[in-house]
Amino acid sequence: MSPNGSDRSPRRPMRRKLLQALTAGLVLATATGCTYKDFPRLGMPTPVTEEAPRILSLWQGSWAAALAVGVLVWGLILWSAMFHRRSRTKIEVPPQTRYNMPIEALYTVVPIIIISVLFYFTARDETKLLDLSKKPDVTVNVVGFQWSWGFNYIADVPGSTGNAKTSPELLAIPDRFKKEFPANAGGVYDVGTPGTRNPQTGNPGPTLWLPEGKTVRFVLTSRDVIHSFWVVPFLMKQDVIPGHTNAFQVIPNHEGTFMGKCAELCGVDHSRMLFNVKVVSPERYEQHLKDLAKKGQTGYIPAGIAQTPHEKNRETNNL
């Protein structure tokens, strides 16, 4: 009983205020209508494709949810430590809580809700990012091998003859991707070694040229082991798997030269599997393909390991 004869504990108003403050903080952290531009990038580089902000927004939302959960948990820990500490004047066992169904239901249902929400947004964005329904303006076969990269530009380039749909070097690419190849695409290629460097920046690795504002499809194949194609400011990476072809497409919207690397531990010289991506105007891109043809880099380098019948059947069943 308090000194004024009331049974009301002086701690209750403070507890109520603390819970109200925690609730308000949780609502502010999760219910704001801000866009990705209103939050810090949290270690992510500036996006340079039209698709990258979607990835950045998912990243920021995951951090915001984690922070909100962390604040709630930290608050409950501090609340328990402050208001349920042992009394200096009384030696007693605190009230024991057992088989409290509302509390048990709460700490079971809340994590399920959090995971379900994260799963929904991840699945939604992944479906959008891997959508290949739009016909690409440019197709590049990215070839990973120990210990560098090759780039087959699938295009009809003056001075280059052939057909990408029937080229023996591209047998590893399934027919479902070849349907989108342009007609009479003799193509040109560029290939690097670990010692290759970009002539303008001096950065290591070969340089992949891309046109700004065009839909670019990457068809990823490997000659040996699993690699991972990662252009850092694209905020997206995808595995390059022998015997299986992956693909995704982006629209670069910033000119410049950007760093890329292999993001899959692929062997002793994995750290040397670097490359550059140079985004230029469509006119400069077309001129670059012509320059490769003049250098004699016409046709295609071998794309990689062909798919097994089992893998081909799986893809056919999914069409």
Side-chain angles (χ1 to χ4, degrees):
M1 182 176 292
S2 60
N4 59 5
S6 173
D7 291 333
R8 183 180 181 184
S9 172
R11 292 180 177 179
R12 290 181 182 176
M14 186 177 296
R15 292 180 183 180
R16 189 178 297 111
K17 290 180 180 179
L18 179 59
L19 288 174
Q20 290 173 349
L22 290 174
T23 303
L26 184 63
V27 171
L28 288 174
T30 58
T32 55
C34 302
T35 66
Y36 78 94
K37 293 181 180 180
D38 299 312
F39 288 99
R41 293 196 303 274
L42 300 171
M44 286 286 196
T46 302
V48 297
T49 69
E50 292 189 7
E51 295 75 15
R54 177 181 293 272
I55 303 173
L56 179 58
S57 179
L58 180 64
W59 171 259
Q60 293 167 323
S62 300
W63 270 100
L67 180 61
V69 173
V71 168
L72 178 61
V73 172
W74 297 329
L76 291 174
I77 291 174
L78 293 174
W79 177 76
S80 299
M82 292 173 60
F83 296 105
H84 291 282
R85 66 188 184 274
R86 181 178 179 181
S87 173
R88 294 182 179 181
T89 58
K90 297 180 180 180
I91 300 177
E92 60 182 8
V93 178
Q96 303 298 300
T97 302
R98 295 187 180 93
Y99 308 112
N100 188 306
M101 291 304 296
I103 293 180
E104 291 183 10
L106 180 67
Y107 64 62
T108 301
V109 172
V110 170
I112 292 176
I113 293 175
I114 293 173
I115 296 301
S116 299
V117 172
L118 290 174
F119 177 82
Y120 166 76
F121 285 107
T122 301
R124 182 201 65 178
D125 291 345
E126 182 181 9
T127 300
K128 186 68 175 179
L129 292 167
L130 297 180
D131 180 28
L132 301 178
S133 59
K134 182 180 179 180
K135 186 174 182 179
D137 301 310
V138 173
T139 301
V140 180
N141 170 217
V142 177
V143 182
F145 59 91
Q146 296 172 319
W147 308 98
S148 194
W149 301 88
F151 307 117
N152 286 322
Y153 296 92
I154 314 297
D156 182 10
V157 183
S160 179
T161 59
N163 190 340
K165 297 181 179 181
T166 59
S167 172
E169 285 76 19
L170 303 182
L171 287 177
I173 300 177
D175 292 338
R176 62 192 179 97
F177 293 117
K178 293 181 179 179
K179 293 178 182 178
E180 303 289 347
F181 288 178
N184 302 317
V188 291
Y189 69 89
D190 197 6
V191 64
T193 66
T196 305
R197 290 188 174 272
N198 180 279
Q200 284 79 36
T201 64
N203 293 330
T207 300
L208 169 63
W209 287 55
L210 300 176
E212 181 187 15
K214 300 293 184 179
T215 301
V216 180
R217 177 175 296 180
F218 299 108
V219 179
L220 311 176
T221 55
S222 171
R223 291 185 188 175
D224 36 52
V225 299
I226 298 178
H227 304 281
S228 183
F229 180 71
W230 181 24
V231 184
V232 179
F234 284 10
L235 308 189
M236 181 171 177
K237 54 189 173 184
Q238 195 169 40
D239 281 348
V240 185
I241 304 174
H244 173 80
T245 303
N246 281 330
F248 70 97
Q249 53 195 43
V250 299
I251 303 176
N253 56 11
H254 285 75
E255 291 192 14
T257 301
F258 311 104
M259 292 294 296
K261 60 181 69 178
C262 176
E264 187 80 30
L265 182 58
C266 56
V268 65
D269 280 338
H270 158 72
S271 62
R272 302 181 68 190
M273 283 197 64
L274 306 175
F275 63 95
N276 304 277
V277 173
K278 187 169 186 175
V279 180
V280 297
S281 65
E283 294 75 20
R284 287 190 66 193
Y285 172 76
E286 294 295 336
Q287 184 59 49
H288 176 67
L289 299 188
K290 295 177 183 178
D291 292 340
L292 291 177
K294 291 179 182 178
K295 293 178 182 179
Q297 296 173 220
T298 56
Y300 304 105
I301 60 173
I305 298 175
Q307 290 184 316
T308 62
H310 173 76
E311 181 65 20
K312 288 183 178 180
N313 291 336
R314 185 192 68 83
E315 292 186 347
T316 301
N317 293 334
N318 289 335
L319 292 178

PDB file of all heavy atoms in Angstrom, residues 198-223:
ATOM      1  N   ASN A 198      40.662  -2.505 -67.873  1.00  0.00           N
ATOM      2  CA  ASN A 198      39.924  -1.510 -68.633  1.00  0.00           C
ATOM      3  C   ASN A 198      40.876  -0.391 -69.038  1.00  0.00           C
ATOM      4  O   ASN A 198      41.559   0.180 -68.175  1.00  0.00           O
ATOM      5  CB  ASN A 198      38.771  -0.960 -67.776  1.00  0.00           C
ATOM      6  CG  ASN A 198      37.951   0.078 -68.510  1.00  0.00           C
ATOM      7  OD1 ASN A 198      38.322   1.233 -68.583  1.00  0.00           O
ATOM      8  ND2 ASN A 198      36.814  -0.341 -69.031  1.00  0.00           N
ATOM      9  N   PRO A 199      40.944  -0.037 -70.329  1.00  0.00           N
ATOM     10  CA  PRO A 199      41.921   0.965 -70.768  1.00  0.00           C
ATOM     11  C   PRO A 199      41.660   2.367 -70.224  1.00  0.00           C
ATOM     12  O   PRO A 199      42.593   3.157 -70.110  1.00  0.00           O
ATOM     13  CB  PRO A 199      41.798   0.929 -72.299  1.00  0.00           C
ATOM     14  CG  PRO A 199      40.436   0.361 -72.563  1.00  0.00           C
ATOM     15  CD  PRO A 199      40.166  -0.585 -71.448  1.00  0.00           C
ATOM     16  N   GLN A 200      40.413   2.696 -69.890  1.00  0.00           N
ATOM     17  CA  GLN A 200      40.108   4.037 -69.397  1.00  0.00           C
ATOM     18  C   GLN A 200      40.340   4.163 -67.889  1.00  0.00           C
ATOM     19  O   GLN A 200      40.911   5.143 -67.420  1.00  0.00           O
ATOM     20  CB  GLN A 200      38.649   4.407 -69.708  1.00  0.00           C
ATOM     21  CG  GLN A 200      38.387   4.793 -71.155  1.00  0.00           C
ATOM     22  CD  GLN A 200      38.277   3.581 -72.056  1.00  0.00           C
ATOM     23  OE1 GLN A 200      37.751   2.552 -71.658  1.00  0.00           O
ATOM     24  NE2 GLN A 200      38.787   3.689 -73.280  1.00  0.00           N
ATOM     25  N   THR A 201      39.907   3.175 -67.127  1.00  0.00           N
ATOM     26  CA  THR A 201      39.978   3.279 -65.673  1.00  0.00           C
ATOM     27  C   THR A 201      41.140   2.514 -65.063  1.00  0.00           C
ATOM     28  O   THR A 201      41.523   2.773 -63.920  1.00  0.00           O
ATOM     29  CB  THR A 201      38.667   2.759 -65.042  1.00  0.00           C
ATOM     30  OG1 THR A 201      38.529   1.363 -65.336  1.00  0.00           O
ATOM     31  CG2 THR A 201      37.471   3.520 -65.596  1.00  0.00           C
ATOM     32  N   GLY A 202      41.656   1.551 -65.798  1.00  0.00           N
ATOM     33  CA  GLY A 202      42.720   0.716 -65.240  1.00  0.00           C
ATOM     34  C   GLY A 202      42.207  -0.378 -64.320  1.00  0.00           C
ATOM     35  O   GLY A 202      43.005  -1.130 -63.746  1.00  0.00           O
ATOM     36  N   ASN A 203      40.888  -0.487 -64.178  1.00  0.00           N
ATOM     37  CA  ASN A 203      40.328  -1.528 -63.323  1.00  0.00           C
ATOM     38  C   ASN A 203      40.518  -2.901 -63.961  1.00  0.00           C
ATOM     39  O   ASN A 203      40.438  -3.043 -65.182  1.00  0.00           O
ATOM     40  CB  ASN A 203      38.846  -1.277 -63.077  1.00  0.00           C
ATOM     41  CG  ASN A 203      38.600  -0.036 -62.249  1.00  0.00           C
ATOM     42  OD1 ASN A 203      39.424   0.335 -61.416  1.00  0.00           O
ATOM     43  ND2 ASN A 203      37.472   0.616 -62.468  1.00  0.00           N
ATOM     44  N   PRO A 204      40.759  -3.927 -63.169  1.00  0.00           N
ATOM     45  CA  PRO A 204      41.018  -5.255 -63.727  1.00  0.00           C
ATOM     46  C   PRO A 204      39.783  -5.881 -64.337  1.00  0.00           C
ATOM     47  O   PRO A 204      38.653  -5.579 -63.960  1.00  0.00           O
ATOM     48  CB  PRO A 204      41.498  -6.056 -62.502  1.00  0.00           C
ATOM     49  CG  PRO A 204      40.904  -5.349 -61.331  1.00  0.00           C
ATOM     50  CD  PRO A 204      40.862  -3.898 -61.699  1.00  0.00           C
ATOM     51  N   GLY A 205      40.023  -6.799 -65.297  1.00  0.00           N
ATOM     52  CA  GLY A 205      38.953  -7.556 -65.909  1.00  0.00           C
ATOM     53  C   GLY A 205      38.535  -7.021 -67.264  1.00  0.00           C
ATOM     54  O   GLY A 205      38.783  -5.856 -67.602  1.00  0.00           O
ATOM     55  N   PRO A 206      37.855  -7.857 -68.064  1.00  0.00           N
ATOM     56  CA  PRO A 206      37.323  -7.392 -69.356  1.00  0.00           C
ATOM     57  C   PRO A 206      36.172  -6.427 -69.138  1.00  0.00           C
ATOM     58  O   PRO A 206      35.627  -6.310 -68.033  1.00  0.00           O
ATOM     59  CB  PRO A 206      36.852  -8.688 -70.015  1.00  0.00           C
ATOM     60  CG  PRO A 206      36.523  -9.578 -68.860  1.00  0.00           C
ATOM     61  CD  PRO A 206      37.525  -9.251 -67.787  1.00  0.00           C
ATOM     62  N   THR A 207      35.770  -5.743 -70.203  1.00  0.00           N
ATOM     63  CA  THR A 207      34.710  -4.730 -70.103  1.00  0.00           C
ATOM     64  C   THR A 207      33.522  -5.136 -70.959  1.00  0.00           C
ATOM     65  O   THR A 207      33.657  -5.392 -72.153  1.00  0.00           O
ATOM     66  CB  THR A 207      35.219  -3.355 -70.544  1.00  0.00           C
ATOM     67  OG1 THR A 207      36.318  -2.969 -69.703  1.00  0.00           O
ATOM     68  CG2 THR A 207      34.133  -2.304 -70.432  1.00  0.00           C
ATOM     69  N   LEU A 208      32.363  -5.199 -70.323  1.00  0.00           N
ATOM     70  CA  LEU A 208      31.104  -5.479 -71.000  1.00  0.00           C
ATOM     71  C   LEU A 208      30.427  -4.155 -71.316  1.00  0.00           C
ATOM     72  O   LEU A 208      30.174  -3.350 -70.413  1.00  0.00           O
ATOM     73  CB  LEU A 208      30.215  -6.343 -70.101  1.00  0.00           C
ATOM     74  CG  LEU A 208      28.754  -6.529 -70.518  1.00  0.00           C
ATOM     75  CD1 LEU A 208      28.659  -7.260 -71.844  1.00  0.00           C
ATOM     76  CD2 LEU A 208      27.983  -7.275 -69.430  1.00  0.00           C
ATOM     77  N   TRP A 209      30.130  -3.925 -72.596  1.00  0.00           N
ATOM     78  CA  TRP A 209      29.467  -2.689 -73.013  1.00  0.00           C
ATOM     79  C   TRP A 209      27.961  -2.914 -73.093  1.00  0.00           C
ATOM     80  O   TRP A 209      27.498  -3.952 -73.589  1.00  0.00           O
ATOM     81  CB  TRP A 209      29.988  -2.245 -74.378  1.00  0.00           C
ATOM     82  CG  TRP A 209      31.383  -1.679 -74.364  1.00  0.00           C
ATOM     83  CD1 TRP A 209      32.498  -2.281 -73.875  1.00  0.00           C
ATOM     84  CD2 TRP A 209      31.797  -0.411 -74.864  1.00  0.00           C
ATOM     85  NE1 TRP A 209      33.596  -1.475 -74.042  1.00  0.00           N
ATOM     86  CE2 TRP A 209      33.193  -0.313 -74.650  1.00  0.00           C
ATOM     87  CE3 TRP A 209      31.147   0.658 -75.471  1.00  0.00           C
ATOM     88  CZ2 TRP A 209      33.937   0.808 -75.025  1.00  0.00           C
ATOM     89  CZ3 TRP A 209      31.878   1.772 -75.863  1.00  0.00           C
ATOM     90  CH2 TRP A 209      33.264   1.842 -75.626  1.00  0.00           C
ATOM     91  N   LEU A 210      27.191  -1.926 -72.611  1.00  0.00           N
ATOM     92  CA  LEU A 210      25.735  -1.994 -72.640  1.00  0.00           C
ATOM     93  C   LEU A 210      25.164  -0.650 -73.079  1.00  0.00           C
ATOM     94  O   LEU A 210      25.734   0.399 -72.756  1.00  0.00           O
ATOM     95  CB  LEU A 210      25.175  -2.350 -71.263  1.00  0.00           C
ATOM     96  CG  LEU A 210      25.603  -3.688 -70.641  1.00  0.00           C
ATOM     97  CD1 LEU A 210      25.036  -3.822 -69.244  1.00  0.00           C
ATOM     98  CD2 LEU A 210      25.179  -4.856 -71.516  1.00  0.00           C
ATOM     99  N   PRO A 211      24.032  -0.651 -73.787  1.00  0.00           N
ATOM    100  CA  PRO A 211      23.405   0.611 -74.206  1.00  0.00           C
ATOM    101  C   PRO A 211      22.455   1.144 -73.131  1.00  0.00           C
ATOM    102  O   PRO A 211      21.683   0.383 -72.531  1.00  0.00           O
ATOM    103  CB  PRO A 211      22.647   0.223 -75.470  1.00  0.00           C
ATOM    104  CG  PRO A 211      22.296  -1.217 -75.252  1.00  0.00           C
ATOM    105  CD  PRO A 211      23.397  -1.825 -74.419  1.00  0.00           C
ATOM    106  N   GLU A 212      22.516   2.425 -72.899  1.00  0.00           N
ATOM    107  CA  GLU A 212      21.623   3.050 -71.929  1.00  0.00           C
ATOM    108  C   GLU A 212      20.192   3.069 -72.452  1.00  0.00           C
ATOM    109  O   GLU A 212      19.942   3.328 -73.638  1.00  0.00           O
ATOM    110  CB  GLU A 212      22.080   4.481 -71.635  1.00  0.00           C
ATOM    111  CG  GLU A 212      21.215   5.206 -70.609  1.00  0.00           C
ATOM    112  CD  GLU A 212      21.581   6.667 -70.455  1.00  0.00           C
ATOM    113  OE1 GLU A 212      22.297   7.191 -71.318  1.00  0.00           O
ATOM    114  OE2 GLU A 212      21.121   7.286 -69.478  1.00  0.00           O
ATOM    115  N   GLY A 213      19.234   2.812 -71.574  1.00  0.00           N
ATOM    116  CA  GLY A 213      17.829   2.910 -71.930  1.00  0.00           C
ATOM    117  C   GLY A 213      17.276   1.751 -72.723  1.00  0.00           C
ATOM    118  O   GLY A 213      16.100   1.784 -73.126  1.00  0.00           O
ATOM    119  N   LYS A 214      18.048   0.711 -72.948  1.00  0.00           N
ATOM    120  CA  LYS A 214      17.597  -0.457 -73.692  1.00  0.00           C
ATOM    121  C   LYS A 214      17.428  -1.654 -72.760  1.00  0.00           C
ATOM    122  O   LYS A 214      18.147  -1.787 -71.770  1.00  0.00           O
ATOM    123  CB  LYS A 214      18.600  -0.817 -74.800  1.00  0.00           C
ATOM    124  CG  LYS A 214      18.824   0.280 -75.831  1.00  0.00           C
ATOM    125  CD  LYS A 214      17.582   0.526 -76.673  1.00  0.00           C
ATOM    126  CE  LYS A 214      17.835   1.557 -77.758  1.00  0.00           C
ATOM    127  NZ  LYS A 214      16.633   1.799 -78.604  1.00  0.00           N
ATOM    128  N   THR A 215      16.479  -2.521 -73.097  1.00  0.00           N
ATOM    129  CA  THR A 215      16.280  -3.738 -72.318  1.00  0.00           C
ATOM    130  C   THR A 215      17.350  -4.754 -72.685  1.00  0.00           C
ATOM    131  O   THR A 215      17.438  -5.190 -73.836  1.00  0.00           O
ATOM    132  CB  THR A 215      14.887  -4.334 -72.575  1.00  0.00           C
ATOM    133  OG1 THR A 215      13.889  -3.370 -72.232  1.00  0.00           O
ATOM    134  CG2 THR A 215      14.678  -5.596 -71.765  1.00  0.00           C
ATOM    135  N   VAL A 216      18.173  -5.104 -71.714  1.00  0.00           N
ATOM    136  CA  VAL A 216      19.300  -6.009 -71.935  1.00  0.00           C
ATOM    137  C   VAL A 216      19.011  -7.327 -71.227  1.00  0.00           C
ATOM    138  O   VAL A 216      18.733  -7.347 -70.027  1.00  0.00           O
ATOM    139  CB  VAL A 216      20.620  -5.414 -71.402  1.00  0.00           C
ATOM    140  CG1 VAL A 216      21.774  -6.382 -71.642  1.00  0.00           C
ATOM    141  CG2 VAL A 216      20.902  -4.066 -72.052  1.00  0.00           C
ATOM    142  N   ARG A 217      19.082  -8.411 -71.976  1.00  0.00           N
ATOM    143  CA  ARG A 217      18.918  -9.742 -71.385  1.00  0.00           C
ATOM    144  C   ARG A 217      20.282 -10.416 -71.276  1.00  0.00           C
ATOM    145  O   ARG A 217      21.029 -10.500 -72.244  1.00  0.00           O
ATOM    146  CB  ARG A 217      17.983 -10.616 -72.210  1.00  0.00           C
ATOM    147  CG  ARG A 217      17.849 -12.046 -71.671  1.00  0.00           C
ATOM    148  CD  ARG A 217      16.829 -12.863 -72.438  1.00  0.00           C
ATOM    149  NE  ARG A 217      15.493 -12.308 -72.291  1.00  0.00           N
ATOM    150  CZ  ARG A 217      14.401 -12.841 -72.866  1.00  0.00           C
ATOM    151  NH1 ARG A 217      14.509 -13.925 -73.610  1.00  0.00           N
ATOM    152  NH2 ARG A 217      13.223 -12.270 -72.691  1.00  0.00           N
ATOM    153  N   PHE A 218      20.592 -10.903 -70.083  1.00  0.00           N
ATOM    154  CA  PHE A 218      21.814 -11.668 -69.849  1.00  0.00           C
ATOM    155  C   PHE A 218      21.454 -13.152 -69.829  1.00  0.00           C
ATOM    156  O   PHE A 218      20.609 -13.585 -69.040  1.00  0.00           O
ATOM    157  CB  PHE A 218      22.459 -11.282 -68.522  1.00  0.00           C
ATOM    158  CG  PHE A 218      22.868  -9.840 -68.439  1.00  0.00           C
ATOM    159  CD1 PHE A 218      22.173  -8.942 -67.645  1.00  0.00           C
ATOM    160  CD2 PHE A 218      23.950  -9.363 -69.164  1.00  0.00           C
ATOM    161  CE1 PHE A 218      22.545  -7.613 -67.556  1.00  0.00           C
ATOM    162  CE2 PHE A 218      24.331  -8.038 -69.094  1.00  0.00           C
ATOM    163  CZ  PHE A 218      23.631  -7.162 -68.290  1.00  0.00           C
ATOM    164  N   VAL A 219      22.103 -13.922 -70.683  1.00  0.00           N
ATOM    165  CA  VAL A 219      21.964 -15.375 -70.701  1.00  0.00           C
ATOM    166  C   VAL A 219      23.258 -15.931 -70.118  1.00  0.00           C
ATOM    167  O   VAL A 219      24.337 -15.752 -70.703  1.00  0.00           O
ATOM    168  CB  VAL A 219      21.706 -15.908 -72.119  1.00  0.00           C
ATOM    169  CG1 VAL A 219      21.581 -17.427 -72.100  1.00  0.00           C
ATOM    170  CG2 VAL A 219      20.446 -15.277 -72.706  1.00  0.00           C
ATOM    171  N   LEU A 220      23.174 -16.601 -68.976  1.00  0.00           N
ATOM    172  CA  LEU A 220      24.350 -16.956 -68.193  1.00  0.00           C
ATOM    173  C   LEU A 220      24.696 -18.433 -68.345  1.00  0.00           C
ATOM    174  O   LEU A 220      23.866 -19.309 -68.043  1.00  0.00           O
ATOM    175  CB  LEU A 220      24.109 -16.633 -66.715  1.00  0.00           C
ATOM    176  CG  LEU A 220      23.557 -15.232 -66.411  1.00  0.00           C
ATOM    177  CD1 LEU A 220      23.272 -15.092 -64.923  1.00  0.00           C
ATOM    178  CD2 LEU A 220      24.530 -14.154 -66.869  1.00  0.00           C
ATOM    179  N   THR A 221      25.918 -18.713 -68.785  1.00  0.00           N
ATOM    180  CA  THR A 221      26.379 -20.094 -68.942  1.00  0.00           C
ATOM    181  C   THR A 221      27.789 -20.219 -68.387  1.00  0.00           C
ATOM    182  O   THR A 221      28.534 -19.247 -68.301  1.00  0.00           O
ATOM    183  CB  THR A 221      26.374 -20.523 -70.423  1.00  0.00           C
ATOM    184  OG1 THR A 221      27.161 -19.588 -71.189  1.00  0.00           O
ATOM    185  CG2 THR A 221      24.960 -20.551 -70.984  1.00  0.00           C
ATOM    186  N   SER A 222      28.152 -21.443 -68.019  1.00  0.00           N
ATOM    187  CA  SER A 222      29.471 -21.703 -67.431  1.00  0.00           C
ATOM    188  C   SER A 222      30.163 -22.825 -68.181  1.00  0.00           C
ATOM    189  O   SER A 222      29.515 -23.771 -68.657  1.00  0.00           O
ATOM    190  CB  SER A 222      29.329 -22.073 -65.957  1.00  0.00           C
ATOM    191  OG  SER A 222      30.566 -22.522 -65.427  1.00  0.00           O
ATOM    192  N   ARG A 223      31.491 -22.751 -68.206  1.00  0.00           N
ATOM    193  CA  ARG A 223      32.286 -23.801 -68.846  1.00  0.00           C
ATOM    194  C   ARG A 223      32.783 -24.853 -67.853  1.00  0.00           C
ATOM    195  O   ARG A 223      33.228 -25.913 -68.267  1.00  0.00           O
ATOM    196  CB  ARG A 223      33.507 -23.192 -69.536  1.00  0.00           C
ATOM    197  CG  ARG A 223      33.212 -22.346 -70.746  1.00  0.00           C
ATOM    198  CD  ARG A 223      34.527 -21.928 -71.377  1.00  0.00           C
ATOM    199  NE  ARG A 223      34.350 -20.969 -72.434  1.00  0.00           N
ATOM    200  CZ  ARG A 223      35.366 -20.378 -73.074  1.00  0.00           C
ATOM    201  NH1 ARG A 223      36.609 -20.662 -72.712  1.00  0.00           N
ATOM    202  NH2 ARG A 223      35.139 -19.509 -74.031  1.00  0.00           N
TER     203      ARG A 223
END
